[in-house]
Amino acid sequence: MAKSPVRKVRDKHVKELAAWLKKNGDKAKIPGLPVKTIHRGDVRRKQAYRIPREYLYLNAFNHRFTTDWDNLKKDRKGKEFDPEDDEDIEQIEDVIKGEGATDNKVRRQKFKDLVDGMRVAAKEVSGSNGQEIPGIVLEDGTYINGNRRAVALEELKDELLKDPKSKKGGVRTNNFDWIMVAVCDPGTTESDIRRMELREQVSEDLRDPY
């Protein structure tokens, strides 16, 4: 049987995330929240960190949305998504939210429920952004599990920035600028990623996915 290929990563992003972790990793660690990742078929428990979202990137290869990616790429004449391009990011976010050209009523409602739940959770604990379960990223910061939570955090941040009461009181959005994630080991394969995505999808049916 052919071996599963290793997911291609962006070297520049790998170096940037590694440099941030080297400088800030000790104080960014989240005690008591080990995260199960998969590497070459083996389960590995990894440290979770609070990492600024600016070092992390939405995933336009998530298998959950394969049909949407294929349809969009036809319109884009096969052009791959650039996780640093504002227009491409907006298209990826639309897929995740079930909006735009990839309109999906069920997905749109699930995303709304996620945002509503995280909004409530954020208000219950001082300094929280509403996320309770860490996500998973590749070594270059590409989300494996956590795409929806990352987009939800951006929605909550935008809400605060647009809220007249928040503006009057001096809005603080920094709680929504970071996200809890564990970082996979180098050499994570497509099969590993698929297994982690499936495990996350199943777990969402059993718990509140904040």
Side-chain angles (χ1 to χ4, degrees), residues 30-81:
I30 304 172
L33 274 179
V35 180
K36 289 183 180 179
T37 65
I38 299 174
H39 185 267
R40 305 295 174 91
D42 295 326
V43 174
R44 294 187 177 182
R45 291 181 177 271
K46 303 294 291 183
Q47 174 69 55
Y49 300 90
R50 286 185 177 88
I51 298 179
R53 290 192 292 112
E54 65 183 285
Y55 289 93
L56 309 177
Y57 302 92
L58 297 177
N59 185 359
F61 296 94
N62 190 297
H63 294 88
R64 185 184 300 186
F65 309 129
T66 297
T67 300
D68 295 308
W69 303 136
D70 289 345
N71 290 336
L72 286 173
K73 284 179 181 177
K74 288 178 183 177
D75 296 335
R76 296 162 59 88
K77 302 187 186 321
K79 179 187 175 185
E80 294 290 347
F81 289 91

Side-chain angles (χ1 to χ4, degrees), residues 7 59 62 136-138 142-147 193 196-197:
R7 170 65 67 89
N59 185 359
N62 190 297
I136 300 172
V137 299
L138 291 176
T142 300
Y143 291 105
I144 299 305
N145 294 333
N147 283 280
I193 291 169
M196 287 187 279
E197 288 175 348

Side-chain angles (χ1 to χ4, degrees), residues 186-205:
T188 299
T189 68
E190 292 291 347
S191 177
D192 297 331
I193 291 169
R194 182 62 172 154
R195 285 180 61 187
M196 287 187 279
E197 288 175 348
L198 286 172
R199 188 172 62 192
E200 175 73 4
Q201 191 169 351
V202 170
S203 67
E204 283 182 7
D205 296 331

